[in-house]
Protein backbone atom coordinates (compact mmCIF):
# COMPACT_ATOMS: atom_id res chain seq x y z
CA UNK A 1 0.00 0.00 0.00
CA UNK A 2 1.13 3.56 -0.72
CA UNK A 3 3.96 2.19 -2.87
CA UNK A 4 5.51 0.57 0.18
CA UNK A 5 5.73 3.85 2.06
CA UNK A 6 2.92 3.06 4.49
CA UNK A 7 5.27 1.91 7.30
CA UNK A 8 7.35 5.07 6.89
CA UNK A 9 4.24 7.25 7.03
CA UNK A 10 2.99 5.40 10.10
CA UNK A 11 6.34 5.92 11.79
CA UNK A 12 5.79 9.60 11.08
CA UNK A 13 2.39 9.30 12.72
CA UNK A 14 4.05 8.00 15.87
CA UNK A 15 6.27 11.09 15.91
CA UNK A 16 3.25 13.32 15.31
CA UNK A 17 1.38 11.71 18.21
CA UNK A 18 4.41 11.87 20.48
CA UNK A 19 4.90 15.55 19.76
CA UNK A 20 1.19 16.19 20.30
CA UNK A 21 1.02 14.33 23.59
CA UNK A 22 4.20 15.84 25.02
CA UNK A 23 3.22 19.33 23.88
CA UNK A 24 -0.16 18.88 25.52
CA UNK A 25 1.50 17.94 28.81
CA UNK A 26 3.75 21.00 28.61
CA UNK A 27 0.82 23.20 27.58
CA UNK A 28 -1.18 21.98 30.59
CA UNK A 29 1.63 22.99 32.94
CA UNK A 30 1.94 26.42 31.32
CA UNK A 31 -1.85 26.70 31.26
CA UNK A 32 -2.32 25.87 34.92
CA UNK A 33 0.48 28.16 36.05
CA UNK A 34 -0.81 30.85 33.70
CA UNK A 35 -4.38 30.54 34.94
CA UNK A 36 -3.23 30.61 38.55
CA UNK A 37 -1.17 33.71 37.78
CA UNK A 38 -4.02 35.45 35.95
CA UNK A 39 -6.31 34.87 38.93
CA UNK A 40 -3.71 35.59 41.58
CA UNK A 41 -3.71 38.57 43.89
CA UNK A 42 -0.25 39.66 42.82
CA UNK A 43 -0.33 42.36 40.19
CA UNK A 44 3.01 41.34 38.75
CA UNK A 45 1.85 37.76 38.24
CA UNK A 46 -1.36 38.97 36.59
CA UNK A 47 0.58 41.32 34.35
CA UNK A 48 3.13 38.68 33.31
CA UNK A 49 0.44 36.13 32.53
CA UNK A 50 -1.54 38.73 30.63
CA UNK A 51 1.47 39.64 28.52
CA UNK A 52 2.13 35.95 27.88
CA UNK A 53 -1.35 35.10 26.64
CA UNK A 54 -1.79 38.32 24.65
CA UNK A 55 1.59 38.09 22.97
CA UNK A 56 1.26 34.44 22.01
CA UNK A 57 -2.30 34.69 20.81
CA UNK A 58 -1.46 37.74 18.73
CA UNK A 59 1.09 35.96 16.55
CA UNK A 60 0.88 33.14 13.99
CA UNK A 61 2.06 29.77 15.26
CA UNK A 62 4.48 29.40 12.37
CA UNK A 63 6.19 32.70 13.16
CA UNK A 64 6.45 31.79 16.85
CA UNK A 65 7.88 28.45 15.91
CA UNK A 66 10.50 29.93 13.59
CA UNK A 67 11.31 32.59 16.16
CA UNK A 68 11.76 30.18 19.03
CA UNK A 69 13.56 27.60 16.94
CA UNK A 70 16.10 29.88 15.26
CA UNK A 71 16.28 32.33 18.13
CA UNK A 72 16.66 29.50 20.62
CA UNK A 73 19.34 27.91 18.49
CA UNK A 74 21.31 31.13 18.56
CA UNK A 75 20.73 31.70 22.27
CA UNK A 76 21.80 28.21 23.22
CA UNK A 77 24.94 28.49 21.13
CA UNK A 78 25.83 31.88 22.55
CA UNK A 79 25.47 30.37 26.00
CA UNK A 80 27.48 27.30 25.06
CA UNK A 81 30.22 29.55 23.63
CA UNK A 82 30.50 31.38 26.92
CA UNK A 83 30.68 28.20 28.88
CA UNK A 84 33.36 26.96 26.50
CA UNK A 85 31.15 24.30 24.94
CA UNK A 86 30.98 23.41 21.27
CA UNK A 87 28.24 23.96 18.72
CA UNK A 88 24.90 22.70 19.93
CA UNK A 89 22.36 21.57 17.38
CA UNK A 90 18.84 21.89 18.71
CA UNK A 91 16.81 18.81 18.05
CA UNK A 92 13.65 19.72 16.08
CA UNK A 93 11.69 17.29 18.24
CA UNK A 94 12.65 19.11 21.43
CA UNK A 95 12.25 22.54 19.86
CA UNK A 96 8.92 21.68 18.27
CA UNK A 97 7.49 20.12 21.40
CA UNK A 98 8.62 22.95 23.64
CA UNK A 99 7.36 25.58 21.22
CA UNK A 100 3.95 24.00 20.74
CA UNK A 101 3.64 23.51 24.48
CA UNK A 102 4.54 27.12 25.12
CA UNK A 103 2.11 28.41 22.47
CA UNK A 104 -0.84 26.28 23.49
CA UNK A 105 -0.12 26.96 27.14
CA UNK A 106 -1.30 30.49 26.40
CA UNK A 107 -4.56 29.23 24.92
CA UNK A 108 -5.05 26.77 27.78
CA UNK A 109 -4.39 29.55 30.29
CA UNK A 110 -7.54 31.24 29.04
CA UNK A 111 -9.48 27.96 28.96
CA UNK A 112 -8.50 27.10 32.52
CA UNK A 113 -9.13 30.61 33.75
CA UNK A 114 -12.64 30.48 32.33
CA UNK A 115 -13.19 27.06 33.86
CA UNK A 116 -12.11 28.23 37.30
CA UNK A 117 -14.29 31.32 37.06
CA UNK A 118 -17.26 29.12 36.12
CA UNK A 119 -17.20 27.52 39.56
CA UNK A 120 -19.70 29.27 41.84
CA UNK A 121 -17.77 31.42 44.24
CA UNK A 122 -19.94 30.35 47.16
CA UNK A 123 -18.50 26.85 46.98
CA UNK A 124 -14.98 28.13 47.43
CA UNK A 125 -16.07 30.42 50.25
CA UNK A 126 -17.89 27.51 51.86
CA UNK A 127 -14.71 25.46 51.66
CA UNK A 128 -12.76 28.18 53.43
CA UNK A 129 -15.54 28.53 56.00
CA UNK A 130 -15.13 24.85 56.82
CA UNK A 131 -11.50 25.49 57.56
CA UNK A 132 -10.02 23.90 54.43
CA UNK A 133 -6.64 25.26 53.44
CA UNK A 134 -6.18 26.92 50.05
CA UNK A 135 -4.54 23.79 48.72
CA UNK A 136 -7.38 21.61 49.94
CA UNK A 137 -9.92 23.91 48.33
CA UNK A 138 -7.98 23.78 45.08
CA UNK A 139 -7.71 20.00 45.15
CA UNK A 140 -11.12 19.00 46.44
CA UNK A 141 -13.45 21.72 45.20
CA UNK A 142 -11.89 23.58 42.32
CA UNK A 143 -10.00 20.86 40.44
CA UNK A 144 -12.77 18.26 39.97
CA UNK A 145 -15.27 20.83 38.70
CA UNK A 146 -12.75 22.77 36.69
CA UNK A 147 -12.09 19.66 34.62
CA UNK A 148 -15.72 19.54 33.60
CA UNK A 149 -15.86 23.19 32.61
CA UNK A 150 -12.53 23.00 30.83
CA UNK A 151 -13.28 19.95 28.67
CA UNK A 152 -14.87 21.70 25.67
CA UNK A 153 -12.11 24.31 25.41
CA UNK A 154 -9.49 21.69 26.13
CA UNK A 155 -10.82 19.44 23.38
CA UNK A 156 -10.77 22.31 20.96
CA UNK A 157 -7.18 23.18 21.82
CA UNK A 158 -6.08 19.58 21.52
CA UNK A 159 -7.54 19.35 18.03
CA UNK A 160 -5.93 22.61 16.96
CA UNK A 161 -2.64 21.40 18.40
CA UNK A 162 -2.66 18.03 16.65
CA UNK A 163 -3.16 19.90 13.41
CA UNK A 164 -0.49 22.44 14.31
CA UNK A 165 2.11 19.67 14.64
CA UNK A 166 2.12 19.60 10.84
CA UNK A 167 3.84 22.98 11.01
CA UNK A 168 6.75 21.53 12.93
CA UNK A 169 7.82 19.81 9.71
CA UNK A 170 8.75 23.29 8.47
CA UNK A 171 11.55 23.45 11.05
CA UNK A 172 12.69 19.98 10.14
CA UNK A 173 10.80 17.60 12.40
CA UNK A 174 10.55 14.15 10.86
CA UNK A 175 6.79 13.85 11.43
CA UNK A 176 4.02 12.46 9.27
CA UNK A 177 3.91 15.63 7.17
CA UNK A 178 7.63 15.40 6.50
CA UNK A 179 7.43 11.71 5.65
CA UNK A 180 4.61 12.42 3.20
CA UNK A 181 6.78 15.08 1.58
CA UNK A 182 9.69 12.68 1.19
CA UNK A 183 7.49 9.92 -0.19
CA UNK A 184 5.86 12.35 -2.64
CA UNK A 185 9.22 13.50 -3.89
CA UNK A 186 10.47 10.01 -4.65
CA UNK A 187 7.24 8.59 -6.09
CA UNK A 188 5.98 11.80 -7.76
CA UNK A 189 2.57 11.08 -6.29
CA UNK A 190 2.11 14.02 -3.91
CA UNK A 191 -1.68 14.00 -3.97
CA UNK A 192 -1.85 10.37 -2.92
CA UNK A 193 0.42 10.90 0.06
CA UNK A 194 -1.06 14.18 1.26
CA UNK A 195 -4.56 12.72 0.88
CA UNK A 196 -3.46 9.66 2.83
CA UNK A 197 -2.11 11.66 5.74
CA UNK A 198 -5.18 13.91 5.61
CA UNK A 199 -7.22 10.75 6.25
CA UNK A 200 -4.94 9.79 9.13
CA UNK A 201 -5.25 13.25 10.68
CA UNK A 202 -9.01 12.98 10.29
CA UNK A 203 -8.99 9.61 12.02
CA UNK A 204 -6.95 11.06 14.90
CA UNK A 205 -9.29 14.02 15.32
CA UNK A 206 -12.34 11.77 15.13
CA UNK A 207 -11.04 9.40 17.78
CA UNK A 208 -10.12 12.40 19.95
CA UNK A 209 -13.62 13.83 19.63
CA UNK A 210 -15.21 10.53 20.59
CA UNK A 211 -12.86 10.09 23.55
CA UNK A 212 -13.50 13.60 24.78
CA UNK A 213 -17.23 13.05 24.48
CA UNK A 214 -16.95 10.04 26.78
CA UNK A 215 -14.76 12.06 29.15
CA UNK A 216 -17.25 14.88 29.19
CA UNK A 217 -20.05 12.50 30.10
CA UNK A 218 -17.95 10.99 32.85
CA UNK A 219 -17.15 14.36 34.41
CA UNK A 220 -20.68 15.67 34.04
CA UNK A 221 -22.25 12.85 36.04
CA UNK A 222 -24.79 14.28 38.38
CA UNK A 223 -25.00 17.63 36.63
CA UNK A 224 -28.55 18.61 35.92
CA UNK A 225 -29.26 19.79 32.43
CA UNK A 226 -32.10 21.85 31.12
CA UNK A 227 -34.45 19.83 28.94
CA UNK A 228 -35.83 21.76 26.03
CA UNK B 1 24.04 36.95 29.64
CA UNK B 2 23.90 40.17 27.69
CA UNK B 3 21.91 39.98 24.49
CA UNK B 4 23.72 40.88 21.28
CA UNK B 5 22.85 44.41 20.18
CA UNK B 6 19.99 44.73 17.72
CA UNK B 7 21.21 45.43 14.21
CA UNK B 8 18.83 48.24 13.30
CA UNK B 9 20.35 48.70 9.85
CA UNK B 10 19.13 45.23 8.87
CA UNK B 11 15.64 46.05 10.07
CA UNK B 12 15.51 49.41 8.32
CA UNK B 13 16.99 47.94 5.17
CA UNK B 14 14.30 45.27 5.08
CA UNK B 15 11.39 47.55 5.97
CA UNK B 16 10.31 48.10 2.34
CA UNK B 17 10.18 44.32 1.90
CA UNK B 18 8.17 43.92 5.08
CA UNK B 19 5.85 46.64 3.86
CA UNK B 20 5.27 44.78 0.59
CA UNK B 21 4.84 41.55 2.54
CA UNK B 22 2.20 43.23 4.66
CA UNK B 23 0.27 44.19 1.55
CA UNK B 24 0.45 40.62 0.24
CA UNK B 25 -0.72 39.26 3.59
CA UNK B 26 -3.64 41.67 3.63
CA UNK B 27 -4.51 40.86 0.04
CA UNK B 28 -4.51 37.11 0.74
CA UNK B 29 -6.67 37.70 3.79
CA UNK B 30 -9.10 39.95 1.94
CA UNK B 31 -9.69 37.66 -1.04
CA UNK B 32 -9.99 34.53 1.10
CA UNK B 33 -12.29 36.07 3.68
CA UNK B 34 -14.62 37.66 1.15
CA UNK B 35 -15.07 34.52 -0.90
CA UNK B 36 -15.31 32.49 2.31
CA UNK B 37 -18.03 34.68 3.75
CA UNK B 38 -19.95 34.67 0.49
CA UNK B 39 -19.99 30.86 0.46
CA UNK B 40 -20.57 30.40 4.18
CA UNK B 41 -23.90 32.17 4.42
CA UNK B 42 -25.77 29.89 2.00
CA UNK B 43 -23.90 26.87 3.34
CA UNK B 44 -24.79 27.85 6.89
CA UNK B 45 -28.46 27.98 5.88
CA UNK B 46 -28.15 24.53 4.29
CA UNK B 47 -26.35 23.24 7.39
CA UNK B 48 -29.44 23.89 9.54
CA UNK B 49 -31.79 22.45 6.92
CA UNK B 50 -34.29 19.94 8.33
CA UNK B 51 -33.49 17.67 5.38
CA UNK B 52 -30.89 15.29 6.72
CA UNK B 53 -29.06 14.68 3.46
CA UNK B 54 -28.64 18.42 2.90
CA UNK B 55 -27.38 19.28 6.36
CA UNK B 56 -25.45 16.00 6.40
CA UNK B 57 -23.47 16.76 3.27
CA UNK B 58 -22.56 20.24 4.49
CA UNK B 59 -21.59 18.72 7.83
CA UNK B 60 -19.34 16.22 6.06
CA UNK B 61 -17.54 19.01 4.23
CA UNK B 62 -16.93 21.07 7.38
CA UNK B 63 -15.97 17.94 9.29
CA UNK B 64 -13.29 16.90 6.80
CA UNK B 65 -11.85 20.39 6.47
CA UNK B 66 -11.90 21.09 10.20
CA UNK B 67 -10.39 17.70 10.96
CA UNK B 68 -7.28 18.09 8.80
CA UNK B 69 -4.40 20.58 8.97
CA UNK B 70 -4.58 23.55 6.63
CA UNK B 71 -0.96 22.92 5.63
CA UNK B 72 -1.94 19.46 4.33
CA UNK B 73 -4.87 20.94 2.41
CA UNK B 74 -2.63 23.57 0.89
CA UNK B 75 0.00 21.03 -0.14
CA UNK B 76 -2.67 18.72 -1.53
CA UNK B 77 -3.83 21.49 -3.83
CA UNK B 78 -0.51 23.12 -4.69
CA UNK B 79 1.80 20.11 -4.96
CA UNK B 80 -0.81 17.39 -5.23
CA UNK B 81 -3.01 18.32 -8.15
CA UNK B 82 -0.09 18.31 -10.60
CA UNK B 83 0.04 14.55 -10.14
CA UNK B 84 -2.95 14.10 -12.43
CA UNK B 85 -2.44 14.42 -16.12
CA UNK B 86 -6.06 15.43 -16.59
CA UNK B 87 -5.40 18.44 -14.36
CA UNK B 88 -2.17 19.34 -16.14
CA UNK B 89 -3.92 19.29 -19.46
CA UNK B 90 -7.07 21.05 -18.40
CA UNK B 91 -7.83 24.67 -19.18
CA UNK B 92 -7.63 25.46 -15.46
CA UNK B 93 -3.97 24.41 -15.27
CA UNK B 94 -2.47 27.90 -15.65
CA UNK B 95 -4.56 28.84 -12.61
CA UNK B 96 -3.94 25.67 -10.66
CA UNK B 97 -0.18 25.87 -10.98
CA UNK B 98 -0.05 29.38 -9.57
CA UNK B 99 0.72 29.57 -5.88
CA UNK B 100 -1.67 32.46 -5.45
CA UNK B 101 -4.65 30.62 -6.82
CA UNK B 102 -3.88 27.51 -4.75
CA UNK B 103 -3.40 29.52 -1.57
CA UNK B 104 -6.65 31.36 -2.21
CA UNK B 105 -8.47 28.10 -2.88
CA UNK B 106 -7.10 26.36 0.21
CA UNK B 107 -7.76 29.35 2.48
CA UNK B 108 -11.26 29.82 1.09
CA UNK B 109 -12.16 26.14 1.53
CA UNK B 110 -10.78 26.29 5.05
CA UNK B 111 -12.40 29.48 6.29
CA UNK B 112 -15.68 28.55 4.61
CA UNK B 113 -15.86 25.36 6.69
CA UNK B 114 -15.29 27.18 9.97
CA UNK B 115 -17.52 30.13 9.10
CA UNK B 116 -20.33 27.84 7.94
CA UNK B 117 -20.42 26.27 11.39
CA UNK B 118 -20.35 29.71 13.00
CA UNK B 119 -23.29 30.87 10.87
CA UNK B 120 -25.17 27.63 11.51
CA UNK B 121 -24.61 27.96 15.26
CA UNK B 122 -25.88 31.51 15.20
CA UNK B 123 -28.95 30.48 13.20
CA UNK B 124 -29.73 27.74 15.71
CA UNK B 125 -29.53 30.28 18.51
CA UNK B 126 -32.47 32.24 17.07
CA UNK B 127 -35.14 32.71 19.71
CA UNK B 128 -38.08 30.50 18.58
CA UNK B 129 -40.51 33.36 19.13
CA UNK B 130 -38.95 35.37 16.32
CA UNK B 131 -39.57 32.58 13.86
CA UNK B 132 -43.12 32.00 15.11
CA UNK B 133 -43.92 35.68 14.90
CA UNK B 134 -42.61 35.89 11.33
CA UNK B 135 -44.64 32.84 10.31
CA UNK B 136 -47.78 34.12 11.95
CA UNK B 137 -47.41 37.30 9.91
CA UNK B 138 -47.51 35.11 6.80
CA UNK B 139 -43.91 35.62 5.69
CA UNK B 140 -42.46 33.08 3.29
CA UNK B 141 -39.30 31.11 3.97
CA UNK B 142 -37.11 33.35 1.81
CA UNK B 143 -38.44 36.49 3.44
CA UNK B 144 -37.99 34.98 6.89
CA UNK B 145 -34.36 34.21 6.18
CA UNK B 146 -33.68 37.56 4.58
CA UNK B 147 -35.48 39.72 7.10
CA UNK B 148 -35.51 37.81 10.36
CA UNK B 149 -33.12 34.87 10.63
CA UNK B 150 -30.01 36.08 8.82
CA UNK B 151 -29.86 39.65 10.18
CA UNK B 152 -30.13 38.30 13.71
CA UNK B 153 -27.80 35.36 13.17
CA UNK B 154 -25.07 37.39 11.47
CA UNK B 155 -25.08 39.82 14.36
CA UNK B 156 -24.79 37.00 16.87
CA UNK B 157 -21.99 35.48 14.79
CA UNK B 158 -19.93 38.65 14.88
CA UNK B 159 -17.70 37.91 17.92
CA UNK B 160 -16.85 34.41 16.72
CA UNK B 161 -16.34 35.62 13.20
CA UNK B 162 -13.88 38.18 14.51
CA UNK B 163 -11.88 35.31 16.00
CA UNK B 164 -12.04 33.48 12.70
CA UNK B 165 -10.67 36.49 10.82
CA UNK B 166 -7.73 36.75 13.24
CA UNK B 167 -7.11 33.00 12.92
CA UNK B 168 -7.12 33.27 9.14
CA UNK B 169 -4.80 36.26 9.25
CA UNK B 170 -2.39 34.08 11.21
CA UNK B 171 -2.98 31.21 8.79
CA UNK B 172 -1.86 33.30 5.81
CA UNK B 173 1.65 32.74 7.21
CA UNK B 174 1.39 29.26 5.69
CA UNK B 175 1.45 30.83 2.24
CA UNK B 176 5.17 31.32 2.88
CA UNK B 177 5.61 27.57 2.35
CA UNK B 178 4.34 27.79 -1.24
CA UNK B 179 6.66 30.60 -2.29
CA UNK B 180 4.30 33.53 -1.77
CA UNK B 181 6.34 36.42 -0.42
CA UNK B 182 4.03 37.56 2.36
CA UNK B 183 5.15 38.78 5.78
CA UNK B 184 6.45 35.47 7.10
CA UNK B 185 8.35 34.72 3.89
CA UNK B 186 9.98 38.14 4.08
CA UNK B 187 11.05 37.39 7.64
CA UNK B 188 12.40 33.98 6.65
CA UNK B 189 14.35 35.53 3.78
CA UNK B 190 15.76 38.25 6.02
CA UNK B 191 16.75 35.55 8.47
CA UNK B 192 18.52 33.43 5.88
CA UNK B 193 20.31 36.48 4.44
CA UNK B 194 21.65 37.80 7.73
CA UNK B 195 21.19 34.93 10.22
CA UNK B 196 19.73 37.36 12.71
CA UNK B 197 16.62 35.70 14.17
CA UNK B 198 15.69 38.48 16.60
CA UNK B 199 15.76 41.15 13.89
CA UNK B 200 13.92 39.07 11.30
CA UNK B 201 11.24 37.45 13.43
CA UNK B 202 11.00 40.25 15.98
CA UNK B 203 10.13 42.72 13.23
CA UNK B 204 7.54 40.47 11.65
CA UNK B 205 6.07 39.80 15.08
CA UNK B 206 5.47 43.54 15.50
CA UNK B 207 3.68 43.62 12.15
CA UNK B 208 1.45 40.66 13.05
CA UNK B 209 0.80 42.03 16.47
CA UNK B 210 -0.36 45.37 15.12
CA UNK B 211 -2.50 43.56 12.54
CA UNK B 212 -4.09 41.35 15.19
CA UNK B 213 -4.98 44.28 17.38
CA UNK B 214 -6.28 46.32 14.49
CA UNK B 215 -8.60 43.47 13.52
CA UNK B 216 -9.68 42.94 17.13
CA UNK B 217 -10.35 46.69 17.39
CA UNK B 218 -12.38 46.74 14.18
CA UNK B 219 -14.54 43.90 15.42
CA UNK B 220 -14.99 45.59 18.80
CA UNK B 221 -16.33 48.62 16.97
CA UNK B 222 -18.59 46.47 14.80
CA UNK B 223 -19.89 44.71 17.89
CA UNK B 224 -20.61 48.01 19.55
CA UNK B 225 -22.54 49.06 16.51
CA UNK B 226 -24.42 45.87 15.74
CA UNK B 227 -24.73 44.22 19.14
CA UNK B 228 -25.63 47.39 21.03
CA UNK B 229 -29.00 45.89 21.95
CA UNK B 230 -27.33 43.01 23.77
CA UNK B 231 -25.18 45.13 26.06
CA UNK B 232 -26.31 45.18 29.65
CA UNK B 233 -27.74 48.53 30.58
CA UNK B 234 -25.05 50.65 32.13
CA UNK B 235 -26.09 52.36 35.31
CA UNK B 236 -25.97 56.06 34.59
CA UNK B 237 -22.96 57.61 36.17
CA UNK B 238 -22.76 61.21 37.08
CA UNK B 239 -19.44 62.91 36.72
CA UNK B 240 -17.76 64.09 39.89
Amino acid sequence: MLYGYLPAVLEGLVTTLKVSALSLAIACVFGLVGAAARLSESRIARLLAGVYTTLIRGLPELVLMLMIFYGGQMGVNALSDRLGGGYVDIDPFVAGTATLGFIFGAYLTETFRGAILAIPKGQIEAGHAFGLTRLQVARRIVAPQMVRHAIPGFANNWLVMVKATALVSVIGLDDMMHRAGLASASTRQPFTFYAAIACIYLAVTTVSLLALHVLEKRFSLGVRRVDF
Amino acid sequence: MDAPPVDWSVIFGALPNFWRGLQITLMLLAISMSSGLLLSIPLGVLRVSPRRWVSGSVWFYTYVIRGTPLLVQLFMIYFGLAQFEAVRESVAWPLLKSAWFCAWLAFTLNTTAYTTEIVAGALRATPPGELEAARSLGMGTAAIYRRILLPGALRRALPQYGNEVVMMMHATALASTVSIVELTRVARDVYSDHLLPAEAFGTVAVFYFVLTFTLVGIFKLLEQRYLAHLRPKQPERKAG
Side-chain angles (χ1 to χ4, degrees), chain B residues 134-231:
Chain B
R135 284 202 184 122
S136 69
L137 287 173
M139 289 173 113
T141 310
I144 290 179
Y145 267 105
R146 195 162 48 83
R147 295 218 186 138
I148 310 290
L149 293 180
L150 283 175
L154 294 182
R155 275 163 205 259
R156 272 191 298 276
L158 206 51
Q160 271 184 293
Y161 188 65
N163 274 341
E164 170 61 19
V165 174
V166 172
M167 291 287 204
M168 269 322 280
M169 191 271 283
H170 291 171
T172 57
L174 296 190
S176 68
T177 58
V178 293
S179 78
I180 294 179
V181 191
E182 43 66 73
L183 276 175
T184 303
R185 184 81 249 172
V186 173
R188 290 171 74 176
D189 290 346
V190 170
Y191 170 72
S192 51
D193 285 350
H194 304 278
L195 290 180
L196 295 171
E199 284 78 354
F201 297 115
T203 311
V204 82
V206 173
F207 273 88
Y208 277 116
F209 214 61
V210 171
L211 262 182
T212 304
F213 280 94
T214 312
L215 288 173
V216 169
I218 291 173
F219 274 90
K220 277 246 170 71
L221 285 178
L222 286 174
E223 280 171 37
Q224 264 175 24
R225 167 97 177 65
Y226 289 104
L227 296 175
H229 61 293
L230 293 180
R231 266 209 305 268

Side-chain angles (χ1 to χ4, degrees), chain B residues 53-140:
Chain B
W53 63 272
V54 175
S55 61
S57 21
V58 179
W59 168 82
F60 184 72
Y61 160 68
T62 67
Y63 168 72
V64 170
I65 297 284
R66 296 189 306 153
T68 51
L70 174 57
L71 191 65
V72 176
Q73 295 160 14
L74 180 63
F75 279 16
M76 247 168 111
I77 296 172
Y78 183 64
F79 298 115
L81 288 179
Q83 175 181 330
F84 304 106
E85 207 177 325
V87 174
R88 269 174 299 168
E89 271 158 26
S90 74
V91 278
W93 179 236
L95 271 182
L96 284 172
K97 72 176 181 188
S98 97
W100 265 89
F101 182 82
C102 292
W104 170 75
L105 188 62
F107 292 164
T108 300
L109 284 175
N110 198 269
T111 182
T112 301
Y114 286 92
T115 313
T116 297
E117 289 299 331
I118 294 175
V119 172
L123 279 171
R124 284 192 208 105
T126 307
E130 289 187 12
L131 192 63
E132 287 162 10
R135 284 202 184 122
S136 69
L137 287 173
M139 289 173 113

